Amino acid sequence: MTHSLAVTVLGHDRPGIIADVTGVLAGLGGNLEDSSMTLLRGHFAWTLVVAVAADASVVSDRLAHLMAEGLVVSVLPLPDDDATAPEGSAWLLSVHGADRPGIVSGLTRLVAEAGGTITDLTTRLGTGIYLLVAEVSLPRETDVEALSARIAAAAEGLGVRATLTPAESDVL
Amino acid sequence: MPLLDGRIVMPPLPEGRVLPVITAPADVLSTACVEVDPAAPDVVQLAADLIVTQRVSPGCVGLAANQVGIGWRVFSLDVTHHPKARTTHGEYVLVNARIESSSRNEKSREGCMSVPDFTGDVKRASRIVVRGFLPVTGEEVVLEADAFEARALQHELDHLDGFVFLDRVAGAHAVYPRQTYL
Ligand SMILES: [Zn+2]
C-alpha cells in the first residue's frame, strides 16, 4: 500500500538537488506526483507529493545526507482524503506597486471573503517593486464586478495597482 | 476560391459518425500525419466524421484526424460562435493544410480534448495564412485568419505535425490543472 507524503526541500542551490532527491525516492519505489520548484531570493525551494510505501521516517532518513549539507528537508504524511480540484471560474489577480506590509494579506483576504480560493501564487520582491500574481478560482455565483471594485479600492488604499482578469481556457 | 460571404463552401459530405477522442499519451498524437488524397472515399468519410464528432463535443471548436486515431493530414474547425473570434470562415474541413505565413504573437490559455487534465498558456501568431484543400473536390483554399480562428488553426495544425499544446507551454509555471466547471 502506498500513501502520500509531502516533501519540502529548501536551501542553498547547487546543481543536482532534484536528481538527488528523486534518486532517493525512486530507490524507495516512490512515484513523484505533483511538484513545484522555484528559486526564492536565490534559495532552492521545492514542494512535492510522492506516493510511496515507505514511512515518512524512512524517507527522511534516506534524505539525511541532504540535511547534513545544510538543506532544510521535511517529510510529512498527507491525509488520505481525496483532494478535489476547485469548481468555479478561473481568474488571474495581478498586483504590483511599491513594497509595503499588508499587500498580500489585504488583497487575498477579499478573495477569501468572496468564497474564492487561490490555486497558484507567485510573489516577488524586486528593486523597489513588489509583485503578486495569483490564479483565483471563484464560485460561479460570485459578483465579480463587485469583487473587482473591492479589490481596486483596497489596492488604492495600499498604493498598488491590482487587476482581476478572466483566465478561462479555450478548448481547441 | 470556394467562399461565400467569407465562409468556406463545403462540398456535400456523407453522413458522419461520432468517433471516440484519443487522449494523451498516445503515439498517434505525437506522430506527424501523412498527406492524403482529398477525394479518396475514406478521406471524405473522415471529414464527415470529424465534423459530427466536433459538433457533439461540448466547447470543441476543432478536431485533428489523429485525435480520433487516424494519422492523416485532415482537420475540422468551426469558431463561428466563439466570443474571441474575429474572422470566422464557418464550419470546414481542410486536407493537407499548411501555414503559409504568420505574424504577431499573443499568449492565451488553451485546453484540448486530448489532454483533459491540463490547460496551459501558449504563445501563438494572431494572424496567419493557411493553404489547404477541400475534401471531395480537392479545391484549393487559401484563408487569412486572425485572433481566435488563427489560434485554433495553429492548434489543429500542431496536432497534425505531432504536437499538443503541452509541447508549446510558455514556461514551467504556465501549465495548470484543468478546473471542473459547474
Ligand atoms: Zn487539441
Side-chain angles (χ1 to χ4, degrees), chain A residues 8-61:
Chain A
T8 62
V9 184
L10 305 160
H12 183 72
D13 193 26
R14 61 154 172 88
I17 299 174
I18 294 175
D20 289 351
V21 173
T22 51
V24 166
L25 297 175
L28 289 165
N31 189 29
L32 179 60
E33 296 182 338
D34 291 6
S35 90
S36 185
M37 179 259 143
T38 191
L39 294 175
L40 300 177
R41 301 208 83 64
H43 303 282
F44 178 92
W46 194 20
T47 307
L48 62 98
V49 174
V50 60
V52 65
D55 280 345
S57 59
V58 174
V59 176
S60 197
D61 286 349

Side-chain angles (χ1 to χ4, degrees), chain A residues 36-38 85-90 92 119-120 122 135-138 140-141 167-172, chain B residues 59-62 82 84 108-113 119 148 151-152 155-156 173 176 178-182:
Chain A
S36 185
M37 179 259 143
T38 191
E87 290 185 337
S89 60
L92 190 70
T119 56
D120 209 320
T122 295
E135 297 280 330
V136 178
S137 177
L138 295 174
R140 278 288 172 203
E141 64 275 12
E168 301 285 353
S169 56
D170 299 304
V171 183
L172 297 172
Chain B
C60 174
V61 298
H82 198 281
K84 291 182 190 164
S108 185
R109 193 165 298 179
E110 297 184 6
C112 176
M113 299 230 311
T119 63
F148 188 68
R151 174 168 294 272
H155 180 105
E156 304 315 329
H173 288 275
Y176 313 87
R178 178 122 134 213
Q179 303 204 356
T180 46
Y181 297 116
L182 292 175

Side-chain angles (χ1 to χ4, degrees), chain A residues 125-150:
Chain A
L125 176 61
T127 311
I129 187 169
Y130 195 77
L131 174 72
L132 176 159
V133 184
E135 297 280 330
V136 178
S137 177
L138 295 174
R140 278 288 172 203
E141 64 275 12
T142 305
D143 182 343
V144 178
E145 219 168 291
L147 177 61
S148 282
R150 284 198 297 279

